Amino acid sequence: MSTKRLAVCLALSAWGSALLAQQGAAPPPGPGGVLTLEAAIDEALASNLQLAAEKRNISVAETQEITARLRPNPVLTVSGQTLNLLGAQFNPNTPLGPNQANVHTDLPIERGGKRQSRMAYAAAEREAAGLGVRELTRRVVFAVESAYVDVQLAKANLALAQQNLEYLQNVVRVNQARLASGDLAQVELDRSQIAALQYATAVDEARLQLEQSKTQLRLLIGRTQPGAPIEVDDRFRSDALSVSEPEIARLAFDRRPDLLLDQQAKVRSQADLRLQLANGKVDYSIGAEYTHQRAWGIGGSSVGLYFSMPLPLFNRNQGEIARAEQEIALAGARVAAANAEVAAEVEKAYREYEVSRTLLANVETNMLAKARAVRETTEYSYRRGEATLVEFLDAQRAFNDTMQTYNAARAGYARSLYQIDSVSGATAASTN
């Protein structure tokens, strides 16, 4: 082997070993200005328009509580009558009858606990509005977490594609030197250049995927400026799950806002039934009247008391009572369906977590080391002329596929952890 060729091959070997070590090492902490996941969630919760609109429902429900506490107003009636207008002239001594002035007041008295029932129903509405905000918050948080992981994955794949391209470009440079020294055929150089162009295309595709992922994240966190720079932390979430599947299910049934919202709908329907039963009770009206009459210089006054109530012969609010009873049954059926759905979501999320954990452990334990070993061995053989460029490129592609699988496994594992948080209601509880 010539001295020039030996120097070039040693340089390629050293550069390739350093690159492999860089690909296998944990990514360094993000520099200043990196958007952390916590900051992204805070920004989304502060800027999300749907969440802002949902919060208005709480204010609306609070105004309904004010209305529910109000009592019916008393009614004041003032009237007067006279029969002593003769030819448009007022004559107090007409024999037609006395002049009369009336002051009448009625006080409605609600029966059946209508006011208390209205207040209970309004309180149930306000509680439902609060749970609606918590449920939308849970969904927004998980959407941001998923988008954040997508950006992390796209960023890792772009870095891998750039490293592969740089590696192949270095191979091309080495082959150009070998061709100049007469140690390599032109077709071998052409093949390595084609492979480098293919990896350049992969870099462009990875860069496009990264920009698309960033666009989705910007949309979710409320940044409206297109193409605004955004950087995320390189480190995927990798902590171990500390709770079992039954514990996750228990937590979900205790604090999932959507499940609590269905349960609250049943409470609200029960409050509505009590209100409709109360509305079926007729209300009383107690009145008092003061009357003053005067004619021919003689005057007199009288005071009267009145009691009135509608006779419940036909309308006893039967329709609304029946509707409220059916809504209670409907709410109960929805609670049962929601319980089954939540249980299925917990089971699915936990299975995804187990599969993701197993896949990540398998890649880290077996595939990465073997892919590195195959690549290093093939690269060494290629330097010595014992392996063809096709064999070297096959080893390079196998290593690239393994690294992509590794990146996808890390992203899948992180996403499964966020999914567990979401289905168990942890995110809604932490932002409540």
Side-chain angles (χ1 to χ4, degrees), residues 261-395:
L261 186 58
D262 287 329
Q263 295 171 353
Q264 182 62 26
K266 185 175 181 179
V267 173
R268 180 177 54 190
S269 298
Q270 292 170 341
D272 186 28
L273 176 59
R274 291 191 294 269
L275 176 59
Q276 298 309 323
L277 289 172
N279 289 337
K281 304 291 183 181
V282 297
D283 295 335
Y284 299 152
S285 180
I286 298 177
E289 182 176 287
Y290 170 79
T291 302
H292 179 76
Q293 295 179 326
R294 187 172 182 82
W296 311 295
I298 301 173
S301 301
S302 64
V303 176
L305 298 177
Y306 299 87
F307 173 83
S308 65
M309 60 173 289
L311 297 178
L313 299 179
F314 307 108
N315 183 0
R316 296 185 296 276
N317 205 33
Q318 301 97 317
E320 287 300 305
I321 292 173
R323 175 195 58 79
E325 290 174 342
Q326 292 302 316
E327 287 192 352
I328 291 176
L330 175 61
R334 286 177 175 170
V335 168
N339 286 337
E341 183 176 351
V342 168
E345 286 183 9
V346 169
E347 181 180 3
K348 179 182 177 181
Y350 196 81
R351 296 295 173 269
E352 289 180 357
Y353 162 76
E354 289 183 323
V355 171
S356 299
R357 181 186 60 183
T358 302
L359 175 60
L360 180 59
N362 181 47
V363 173
E364 290 179 335
T365 304
N366 301 317
M367 297 179 65
L368 283 180
K370 291 181 179 179
R372 289 194 188 97
V374 170
R375 185 181 181 184
E376 290 175 351
T377 302
T378 307
E379 187 267 341
Y380 178 76
S381 299
Y382 180 66
R383 286 191 293 109
R384 293 174 57 87
E386 298 172 357
T388 65
L389 178 63
V390 173
E391 292 174 332
F392 172 73
L393 293 179
D394 284 342

Side-chain angles (χ1 to χ4, degrees), residues 12 64 121 153 237 250 304 326 359 364 374 379 386 424:
L12 176 59
Q64 292 175 344
Y121 182 76
L153 176 58
R237 181 180 175 184
R250 186 190 66 79
Q326 292 302 316
L359 175 60
E364 290 179 335
V374 170
E379 187 267 341
E386 298 172 357
S424 67

Side-chain angles (χ1 to χ4, degrees), residues 77-83 97-104 288-295 299-304 306:
T77 305
V78 179
S79 63
Q81 56 183 340
T82 181
L83 296 175
N99 299 312
Q100 179 174 310
N102 301 306
V103 178
H104 186 100
E289 182 176 287
Y290 170 79
T291 302
H292 179 76
Q293 295 179 326
R294 187 172 182 82
S301 301
S302 64
V303 176
Y306 299 87

